[in-house]
Amino acid sequence: MVDAPHQLAPITTETDGPIASSSVKDGLSLPDIGAILFKWKWLILACLLIAVLLGYVYSKRLVPQYEGTATIDLNPSQTNMGLSDLIQESLSAEDVRLPTEVARMQSNLVVFETIKELAQQHRGPFPDVFDHLPPNAGMEAFPPGQLQMMIGSVRGALKVTPVTGTDIVAISYRDPRPQVAKDVPNKIIEVYLKRNLDDHMEGTGRVTRWLATEMEGLKQQATQAQTRLAQYQKEHNLIELGAGGGGANSGGQTDSLEVDRLHISNNNVATAQADRIVREAKLRLAESNDPDLVASVAPSSTLITLRAELLSLNAQLAQLTTRFGPNYPRVRELHNQIQNVQNQIDTEMRNVQERIREEYNTSNHALDLMQKQLDKQMQDAYKLNQSAAQYALLRQDAESSRQLYDQLQLKLKESNLAAGLNTASVTVIDEALLPLGPVSPDVRANVLIAAALGLLVGVLSAFILDSLDEIGRAHV
């Protein structure tokens, strides 16, 4: 029993060694933390200075990037003037149309035309790429790899962003050359406006040319009808005394009622003919298989939404293909999505075409019925009074032909104006200016981040070294 205290003493002493030291470390007080930091102050300061130096050197080694920004006011609602029966105003919501126009600004064609026009002036991101090519060289003049590299490089540095809650769109471009950062946004806007106008003029021009051809036949028909009327009047010694004169001279009230019916039927036939021509023009536009023209003839929010989604997917595909290559899983997935959306667009276009074709067939059938009714009334009128009724028919035929010709002549004149006005209204708010200084790298921010990381590393190193030092002394 006398030796018991001596046997317990070593156990107590061992407990006061590393285990006790670890217990103290788990509950450091503020004075203890301050003592450790002061003890290792030179280590912390060295880590801080090294990190600041590395951050500064890293920032200085980065290539300075300049940014040019232009802003436009893009009103996607179309001005619908001329051919109002052929090209209807779009009923889609602006929250669908605006992203569509933004995607068109970043399309491969707009980007390529921007590169081309700047290069022909020995400016832009690739100033020498067209030196040995003809002025009218297109995308086919470049190998696919080089073409994707050029377009992907510009699109990667290009940023087109709608301002939330407004119709304003900001077009920004970053480049190590300040002049290029200024030129690209301004040229993007210029090319977009020109392409937008050309596309709408081409679509409206096709209908205008078809109407002009149809009107030549109508003009001849109106002239022949007027000639027959004058010849008949001369042969039968008829003198026109005014409206209803023929009926008064040849049969009284019965003939007057018959002539009134003929007048109404002729007007109905003329209106039905104009409606048939308009619907045939719609059908021709729909059969062009151009989604934009089909959407203008028969506005479909589904078709417009699918077109916007297709443009967005194509933009993502170009960016990912340029960055990761064609075998990247997301690239293959985008190919499948694009094919799926294209199939939906084709299906929607077929539905629209079928609907317009049914409207045209219905209009054609209605015209046939009205023409048959008019022919029957002509026969009845001829039986009542051949000379007077025939004169009235010729007169109505001449008037209806002239009326139809005048109506289409007015629409043709309006269509020439509509070709330029049936586009999105775009106002340039600010052109991109020459950047005064680079937007990146931000030396101050990089140095501050490096200083924070260096300080953190220094403090952690101080605690780790101090702990190792304490453990080493405990084992001595």
Side-chain angles (χ1 to χ4, degrees):
M1 297 299 293
V2 175
D3 295 333
H6 299 284
Q7 294 175 356
L8 294 175
I11 298 175
T12 305
T13 303
E14 291 178 4
T15 306
D16 293 337
I19 298 176
S21 176
S22 177
S23 176
V24 172
K25 294 293 184 203
D26 293 339
L28 289 176
S29 63
L30 289 178
D32 294 335
I33 294 175
I36 294 173
L37 295 178
F38 183 78
K39 176 181 177 181
W40 299 96
K41 59 182 179 294
W42 296 112
L43 172 65
I44 298 173
L45 182 60
C47 291
L48 176 62
L49 292 178
I50 292 173
V52 168
L53 180 60
L54 290 176
Y56 181 79
V57 172
Y58 170 77
S59 299
K60 288 300 181 181
R61 289 178 62 86
L62 292 177
V63 178
Q65 295 289 326
Y66 297 85
E67 183 176 75
T69 302
T71 55
I72 60 174
D73 184 1
L74 178 61
N75 183 5
S77 58
Q78 297 181 343
T79 304
N80 188 35
M81 295 185 63
L83 288 180
S84 57
D85 294 329
L86 301 180
I87 304 177
Q88 300 181 14
E89 183 176 359
S90 175
L91 300 179
S92 62
E94 289 189 9
D95 58 352
V96 174
R97 189 63 182 169
L98 183 59
T100 301
E101 297 300 323
V102 169
R104 290 184 64 186
M105 291 184 208
Q106 305 173 81
S107 64
N108 291 343
L109 187 57
V110 171
V111 172
F112 176 79
E113 288 295 328
T114 299
I115 296 173
K116 176 180 176 181
E117 294 189 12
L118 288 175
Q120 290 174 345
Q121 302 171 8
H122 297 287
R123 297 158 53 196
F126 304 99
D128 303 325
V129 74
F130 278 86
D131 284 352
H132 304 292
L133 295 176
N136 59 347
M139 292 185 179
E140 66 281 355
F142 296 90
Q146 182 183 4
L147 180 64
Q148 289 187 7
M149 183 276 295
M150 291 191 304
I151 295 177
S153 174
V154 174
R155 292 181 65 172
L158 178 66
K159 186 178 182 182
V160 181
T161 309
V163 179
T164 305
T166 70
D167 292 330
I168 297 176
V169 177
I171 301 97
S172 303
Y173 186 80
R174 288 192 176 189
D175 195 89
R177 297 155 290 183
Q179 187 65 41
V180 176
K182 169 195 170 186
D183 290 340
V184 171
N186 294 334
K187 185 59 68 174
I188 285 284
I189 295 174
E190 180 183 337
V191 171
Y192 165 73
L193 291 176
K194 183 168 62 176
R195 293 293 309 176
N196 200 31
L197 181 60
D198 290 346
D199 291 344
H200 283 82
M201 289 187 68
E202 180 182 357
T204 309
R206 284 198 291 266
V207 182
T208 302
R209 289 190 294 272
W210 179 81
L211 278 178
T213 303
E214 288 292 311
M215 287 181 59
E216 287 297 324
L218 290 175
K219 183 178 181 181
Q220 294 179 3
Q221 179 181 345
T223 302
Q224 293 172 359
Q226 191 66 35
T227 301
R228 289 195 301 269
L229 176 63
Q231 184 66 25
Y232 189 86
Q233 185 177 7
K234 180 179 179 181
E235 290 176 357
H236 293 80
N237 297 320
L238 296 176
I239 300 176
E240 186 172 355
L241 301 177
N249 291 336
S250 56
Q253 184 67 24
T254 302
D255 292 343
S256 297
L257 290 176
E258 193 62 29
V259 170
D260 290 339
R261 294 191 187 97
L262 287 173
H263 181 75
I264 294 173
S265 296
N266 269 284
N267 287 340
N268 291 339
V269 170
T271 302
Q273 286 177 338
D275 181 71
R276 182 191 62 80
I277 292 175
V278 167
R279 295 188 183 278
E280 185 175 353
K282 284 185 178 181
L283 182 59
R284 287 174 179 268
L285 276 177
E287 290 176 347
S288 67
N289 290 325
D290 186 336
D292 290 333
L293 292 179
V294 173
S296 67
V297 172
S300 170
S301 59
T302 301
L303 184 58
I304 294 174
T305 303
L306 290 173
R307 285 284 296 162
E309 183 179 356
L310 182 61
L311 287 172
S312 176
L313 290 174
N314 281 326
Q316 296 179 38
L317 177 63
Q319 292 179 353
L320 292 178
T321 302
T322 302
R323 182 178 298 179
F324 301 106
N327 295 323
Y328 188 64
R330 177 57 180 164
V331 172
R332 293 196 296 268
E333 180 182 350
L334 284 175
H335 277 296
N336 296 332
Q337 292 180 5
I338 289 173
Q339 184 61 43
N340 184 35
V341 173
Q342 186 62 54
N343 292 338
Q344 296 181 42
I345 291 176
D346 294 340
T347 301
E348 182 65 19
M349 287 181 60
R350 286 193 296 269
N351 293 338
V352 172
Q353 291 172 353
E354 186 62 27
R355 185 171 68 252
I356 294 176
R357 189 174 291 107
E358 290 178 357
E359 293 176 356
Y360 169 73
N361 293 336
T362 301
S363 177
N364 212 19
H365 180 66
L367 176 60
D368 291 340
L369 292 178
M370 293 180 184
Q371 188 63 52
K372 290 179 181 179
Q373 182 180 7
L374 177 60
D375 293 342
K376 181 177 181 301
Q377 290 179 350
M378 288 174 62
Q379 294 297 326
D380 294 339
Y382 187 81
K383 293 177 183 178
L384 290 175
N385 190 318
Q386 183 175 1
S387 296
Q390 183 65 23
Y391 176 77
L393 292 174
L394 291 174
R395 182 171 178 270
Q396 291 296 330
D397 185 35
E399 289 179 355
S400 61
S401 297
R402 173 58 60 179
Q403 181 182 10
L404 176 60
Y405 176 79
D406 291 341
Q407 289 177 355
L408 293 181
Q409 179 71 20
L410 177 60
K411 291 182 179 294
L412 181 60
K413 292 179 179 179
E414 291 176 347
S415 69
N416 294 327
L417 182 60
L421 295 179
N422 194 30
T423 60
S425 174
V426 179
T427 304
V428 178
I429 299 177
D430 290 312
E431 291 187 347
L433 302 178
L434 190 68
L436 298 179
V439 295
S440 70
D442 190 341
V443 179
R444 181 178 180 183
N446 291 343
V447 169
L448 289 176
I449 293 174
L453 293 176
L455 185 62
L456 179 61
V457 170
V459 171
L460 291 177
S461 299
F463 279 102
I464 292 173
L465 292 176
D466 188 73
S467 178
L468 293 175
D469 186 52
E470 289 291 334
I471 294 174
R473 284 186 295 175
H475 285 285
V476 174

